[in-house]
Amino acid sequence: MDAEEEERRREEEAKKKKAPVADRGLGQRRALSAETRSRPFVPLKGEVLHIAWYREYDQTGKFTKEEGLAYRECIEDLLSHYTMPLALVQETLDGIERGWSDVTLDLGAGYNLRMQRHTEFETLTLNGPGNMKAPLDTPMKPWEWLLPAGWLEDIPGKVFLVNHAEFRQLAQPVKNEEPTLKELTAIRSALRSKSPITLDSQDDSLLEWDSGSLVGCGIGDGSRLFVNYELDESGGMQTLVIVPPGNSTFIRAGRQLQRFFALEQYRLLILQRLPSAKSKFPLLAGLNER
């Protein structure tokens, strides 16, 4: 092999090394990324109630006439709890009956809802003014008052997530990145949490935001989100969103809260298969022994 052929062979090998490796999962990731951006966030502040339930009609995900009528009746019952007359929202109610997958509706007196349909489940997010100037340690009021009596039982599906959130706006920005014992005690009081507190004996600050059923994190712009995973008697989670002064701080905090709702939805959707998987353990153990 002469020098010219050797150089050509080296060039070809170099091209092969530089050639991109085919990513067979890229198309799916692009589709999933597009799906996550297909439904824009809505502004949230004050008080929020987020509910998710499994769809109980067509298992293929197709929207049926029976399902549309059931959802319309469900929303009409909810509207009777608020001040918006049915006559003013007939177009939206007709859309719900026809199967609109993303609906926003004014309920009157500063309250609104967003209803979204997915393949396996539905979600409804209620948002109202709340009392954002309440002291940090003020216990969150029961979320049931946001719904008509017995409304959850009449939802056309099986409820698997109820998350009640309140925004509290501080008069002054927080000084430290980690909450102090005083701040955490107030937050535990607001969330009615019974979780113990782990402290650093040197500077009296919280070592871990994850403390039993009480979990918290920073969500940007000086805002914080705390969750009590210990469900109340009605099966609801409590979430407290603490924001610093200024109207602009609600934008990111509201988006992060909606991201948190989405994470909880899909986490619970995955975990619903856990009991069935556990029931197969004896069978798998027997097969393993054989």
Side-chain angles (χ1 to χ4, degrees):
M1 181 182 295
D2 56 25
E4 186 176 348
E5 291 181 355
E6 177 66 19
E7 184 177 357
R8 188 182 302 110
R9 184 184 66 81
R10 289 179 179 177
E11 289 179 354
E12 290 177 355
E13 289 181 354
K15 288 180 181 179
K16 290 180 181 180
K17 290 181 180 180
K18 292 181 180 179
V21 179
D23 185 347
R24 291 180 292 176
L26 180 59
Q28 184 183 43
R29 293 205 306 280
R30 290 191 189 280
L32 291 174
S33 177
E35 177 64 22
T36 60
R37 293 180 280 107
S38 64
R39 305 192 185 203
F41 295 116
V42 296
L44 292 180
K45 62 193 316 186
E47 185 172 16
V48 183
L49 181 63
H50 183 78
I51 305 169
W53 61 91
Y54 300 113
R55 295 176 61 191
E56 65 177 8
Y57 287 88
D58 195 326
Q59 298 300 317
T60 65
K62 295 180 179 179
F63 195 81
T64 64
K65 182 178 180 180
E66 293 77 13
E67 189 174 10
L69 290 171
Y71 283 148
R72 178 175 187 139
E73 182 179 351
C74 185
I75 298 302
E76 286 180 349
D77 290 343
L78 181 62
L79 280 165
S80 67
H81 190 64
Y82 290 89
T83 61
M84 180 61 67
L86 287 177
L88 298 181
V89 293
Q90 284 299 323
E91 182 180 355
T92 303
L93 291 172
D94 292 343
I96 291 173
E97 185 176 337
R98 292 197 302 270
W100 287 2
S101 60
D102 196 345
V103 177
T104 56
L105 188 62
D106 184 1
L107 302 178
Y111 291 89
N112 57 75
L113 70 80
R114 184 182 194 185
M115 185 175 179
Q116 297 185 82
R117 191 179 77 250
H118 302 266
T119 302
E120 296 179 270
F121 64 97
E122 301 274 345
T123 65
L124 185 140
T125 306
L126 281 166
N127 187 205
N131 183 13
M132 296 183 292
K133 299 300 182 181
L136 192 58
D137 60 352
T138 303
M140 294 175 60
K141 56 186 176 182
W143 52 268
E144 289 87 347
W145 77 274
L146 289 164
L147 303 173
W151 189 81
L152 278 184
E153 288 76 12
D154 295 332
I155 281 180
K158 183 180 178 182
V159 176
F160 66 89
L161 174 64
V162 177
N163 196 316
H164 181 215
E166 284 189 9
F167 286 78
R168 300 280 173 85
Q169 189 168 35
L170 303 176
Q172 299 292 334
V174 293
K175 296 180 180 179
N176 302 315
E177 187 173 339
E178 295 179 342
T180 63
L181 173 59
K182 181 179 179 181
E183 291 171 330
L184 189 64
T185 301
I187 291 164
R188 291 175 72 235
S189 175
L191 293 171
R192 297 186 175 89
S193 172
K194 300 177 182 178
S195 296
I197 305 174
T198 304
L199 295 176
D200 186 335
S201 59
Q202 295 181 358
D203 60 7
D204 197 40
S205 63
L206 186 65
L207 271 179
E208 297 181 0
W209 291 52
D210 185 345
S211 183
S213 62
L214 177 63
V215 179
C217 66
I219 54 176
D221 295 333
S223 299
R224 296 169 175 172
L225 183 144
F226 287 89
V227 184
N228 183 9
Y229 276 96
E230 184 179 352
L231 303 185
D232 61 24
E233 294 181 356
S234 300
M237 293 171 55
Q238 306 298 325
T239 301
L240 192 66
V241 183
I242 303 172
V243 297
N247 291 328
S248 62
T249 59
F250 289 102
I251 298 175
R252 178 180 291 186
R255 290 176 177 175
Q256 297 290 56
L257 179 62
Q258 290 169 84
R259 290 188 180 102
F260 171 68
F261 289 156
L263 288 173
E264 283 301 300
Q265 289 164 188
Y266 289 106
R267 182 180 71 87
L268 293 173
L269 282 170
I270 293 170
L271 287 176
Q272 71 161 321
R273 312 195 189 280
L274 184 59
S276 176
K278 284 186 174 181
S279 69
K280 305 297 183 184
F281 286 173
L283 174 62
L284 293 175
L287 291 174
N288 186 50
E289 290 178 2
R290 290 171 56 186

